[in-house]
Amino acid sequence: MPLDLAQRTTFEKSLYTPWIFNEMIRPVLYLQNHNDPEAVHEDVLNTVGEEDVIDIFRKNQRLFQAPENLRITLNGRRLTPFGTAAGMDKNGDALLAFSYVFGFQETGTVVVNPREGNKRPRVATDNKKEDLYNAQGFPSRGLSYFKTNLANLRDVRGKPDSCDEFNPSTLQKYPLVYVSICGLPMSEENAIDIAMKETETLVRELELGSDAFVWNPFSPNTATLTKLRTPQIFKETAELIKKYSPAKLLLVKMGPYEDNDTERKQYLDLVSGFLEGGGHGVVAVNTKMFPKEQIPAKDWGYPSGGRSGRFLKPYRMRAVSETRKAFPNAVIFATGGIYDGNDAYETFKSGATALEGYTPYTFHGLGLLPRIQRRVAERLRKDGYKNLEELQLEARHGANLVA
Ligand SMILES: Cc1cc2nc3c(=O)[nH]c(=O)nc-3n(C[C@H](O)[C@H](O)[C@H](O)COP(=O)(O)O)c2cc1C
């Protein structure tokens, strides 16, 4: 339903003042959607897809443009290194709206066949700690639905070969879409073959409109995916994706690991396999599984749930710094509870190439993004760096010295 004038004005103000989202808009959304966080999220995605809301983003896009000294060059493109994390827009419904907001979007995870996922309710919030729990079980509208949304975005905002790079005078910016994909075996039988076949289909079908692929074998609620988590399968999957998409950025989504040698080695061996197969790096970290008893929701209907948000910080920081140390030249996209600019800055300093977010925006709205960017720019200035790339070079150099 189109927003009325008062709603439009409040929403527009929240982009400049995040507490308006947290304290005024969010409670109303929860009231209207019977306290179901997933229904709230769907409501928001529907609303941001409306022409009048897209207009608000278009009109205010300057607010979200990072200053030049925050932009980086990655795989031949200029990139503002702040984007959405996978799951926030699983089916590409908000690609156009978010293209005026984020430097890039990691959209999906897209699977070949439409899936309902688990029964609802399957998402819960912890409002005090600002964490989310989910047991969605990979719901998706499937490849052809997503492909139509991607094609629509390209029709409106231009295709790679017809678009110039960012042009500050016109604010024309070619929107970067990184597609999270997963070949999804439904049973143990032939699981690896099916996963490979579906991954190939996804890459061939989406190669034209996407700027990067992120392979996601780490959905925590999907048991058959565990079969894919060996260094050899990581290598073969990277090789397969490279075969059909040789020039594009290729990352793998990684789950969190504990601070012990066994889990660290398992994590680094998987990353090593992926890089050996031609992948460029990782997105770290995915949600962390928690047992039902620890989930602060009445009648949670699943034995466990994946937790995201603030509490992921130590897992994210560990994965970033240890990946950087082991693989100084890897591309590292960091996600997991990045709520403020100081945290973002420290994550870059530990070796991150770019940052993604999902849970923080569900609590504070999109007005969080310009705040984070401004603070990172301030910290760079204060610490005497000309730009973000200088800080990143230093992080890589430091890793080279200790590697
Ligand atoms: C409800 C929900 C759904 C998610 N779905 C996906 C998904 O489809 N694919 C994926 O790679 N990650 C998915 N994630 C994980 C996020 O991409 C991210 O790794 C994690 O939430 C930590 O970041 P955050 O604290 O900024 O949310 C999902 C997270 C949530 C909360």
Side-chain angles (χ1 to χ4, degrees):
M1 215 171 45
L3 301 184
D4 63 30
L5 185 63
Q7 288 169 323
R8 276 180 65 109
T9 309
T10 312
F11 178 68
E12 197 164 351
K13 282 201 157 83
S14 79
L15 300 179
Y16 291 82
T17 316
W19 71 259
I20 294 180
F21 181 87
N22 186 254
E23 288 179 30
M24 293 170 70
I25 297 178
R26 191 171 179 272
V28 173
L29 286 169
Y30 270 77
L31 211 63
Q32 286 171 343
N33 288 284
H34 312 289
N35 267 330
D36 175 0
E38 186 165 4
V40 169
H41 195 69
E42 286 167 347
D43 194 0
V44 170
L45 286 180
N46 283 335
T47 306
V48 299
E50 299 278 350
E51 221 6 86
D52 55 345
V53 181
I54 292 173
D55 246 9
I56 296 177
F57 289 133
R58 201 182 288 122
K59 235 178 63 198
N60 288 283
Q61 57 186 302
R62 204 175 277 279
L63 169 70
F64 299 103
Q65 305 287 341
E68 177 54 37
N69 71 344
L70 285 192
R71 296 199 202 118
I72 63 170
T73 299
L74 183 62
N75 213 37
R77 283 199 182 286
R78 285 301 275 171
L79 165 77
T80 300
F82 299 89
T84 56
M88 183 153 151
D89 181 19
K90 280 185 187 278
N91 299 299
D93 293 316
L95 281 173
L96 181 57
F98 290 164
S99 75
Y100 295 108
V101 175
F102 290 95
F104 67 95
Q105 302 179 59
E106 189 189 333
T107 179
T109 296
V110 183
V111 299
V112 173
N113 299 305
R115 290 164 52 86
E116 290 288 328
N118 292 330
K119 264 179 60 191
R120 298 175 184 220
R122 53 195 185 178
V123 179
T125 55
D126 182 334
N127 288 335
K128 276 213 185 90
K129 296 195 169 129
E130 301 197 330
D131 291 335
L132 273 181
Y133 294 82
N134 94 84
Q136 286 184 314
F138 248 134
S140 171
R141 295 204 165 180
L143 171 60
S144 59
Y145 180 93
F146 177 81
K147 206 175 158 186
T148 305
N149 277 341
L150 186 57
N152 288 343
L153 172 78
R154 295 313 186 200
D155 283 348
V156 179
R157 303 276 337 252
K159 298 199 168 53
D161 51 1
S162 65
C163 268
D164 289 340
E165 298 223 318
F166 177 76
N167 175 350
S169 63
T170 59
L171 285 178
Q172 285 301 308
K173 186 174 69 142
Y174 167 69
L176 293 168
V177 179
Y178 294 1
V179 187
S180 167
I181 53 169
C182 181
L184 196 55
M186 298 306 294
S187 70
E188 303 271 315
E189 212 180 323
N190 295 333
I192 293 170
D193 288 349
I194 292 166
M196 289 291 191
K197 197 79 219 134
E198 288 194 2
T199 301
E200 180 185 322
T201 303
L202 289 160
V203 176
R204 291 172 78 146
E205 292 286 321
L206 296 172
E207 153 70 11
L208 204 60
S210 59
D211 299 284
F213 287 105
V214 183
W215 178 53
N216 171 25
F218 264 97
S219 169
N221 303 297
T222 315
T224 47
L225 290 180
T226 51
K227 286 201 161 229
L228 306 180
R229 293 182 210 146
T230 70
Q232 184 59 26
I233 298 291
F234 270 48
K235 178 168 178 275
E236 286 171 17
T237 305
E239 284 167 351
L240 175 76
I241 299 174
K242 283 277 356 150
K243 184 169 160 199
Y244 296 102
S245 180
K248 288 182 182 164
L249 185 69
L250 174 57
L251 308 176
V252 62
K253 181 76 174 264
M254 296 298 292
Y257 59 93
E258 297 298 335
D259 191 10
N260 65 56
D261 288 346
T262 312
E263 291 198 25
R264 182 175 297 109
K265 182 171 181 324
Q266 273 167 3
Y267 170 93
L268 292 174
D269 285 351
L270 291 176
V271 177
S272 177
F274 196 72
L275 298 182
E276 241 179 81
H280 299 99
V282 300
V283 179
V285 289
N286 211 326
T287 57
K288 178 167 169 53
M289 287 308 268
F290 271 69
K292 177 186 167 95
E293 305 73 56
Q294 292 179 32
I295 298 177
K298 264 195 279 150
D299 308 325
W300 184 253
Y302 297 96
S304 57
R307 185 175 176 188
S308 55
R310 275 193 199 282
F311 100 101
L312 276 175
K313 177 175 177 176
Y315 293 92
R316 181 227 316 149
M317 291 304 276
R318 175 157 56 246
V320 169
S321 59
E322 293 183 347
T323 309
R324 178 57 66 225
K325 194 168 142 194
F327 310 104
N329 295 318
V331 173
I332 303 172
F333 279 37
T335 187
I338 302 172
Y339 278 84
D340 65 66
N342 289 325
D343 200 10
Y345 183 78
E346 295 304 326
T347 311
F348 280 125
K349 213 167 169 155
S350 298
T353 311
L355 309 183
E356 299 183 348
Y358 176 174
T359 308
Y361 296 111
T362 68
F363 285 97
H364 299 281
L366 300 174
L368 199 59
L369 177 63
R371 287 210 166 175
I372 291 176
Q373 293 184 153
R374 271 199 302 274
R375 185 67 187 143
V376 172
E378 267 167 35
R379 290 281 308 265
L380 280 174
R381 217 174 307 119
K382 226 169 119 210
D383 289 357
Y385 294 105
K386 273 204 308 283
N387 52 42
L388 182 59
E389 287 186 310
E390 199 175 86
L391 173 84
Q392 292 179 324
L393 194 68
E394 195 178 278
R396 271 206 301 281
H397 185 62
N400 261 326
L401 292 181
V402 290

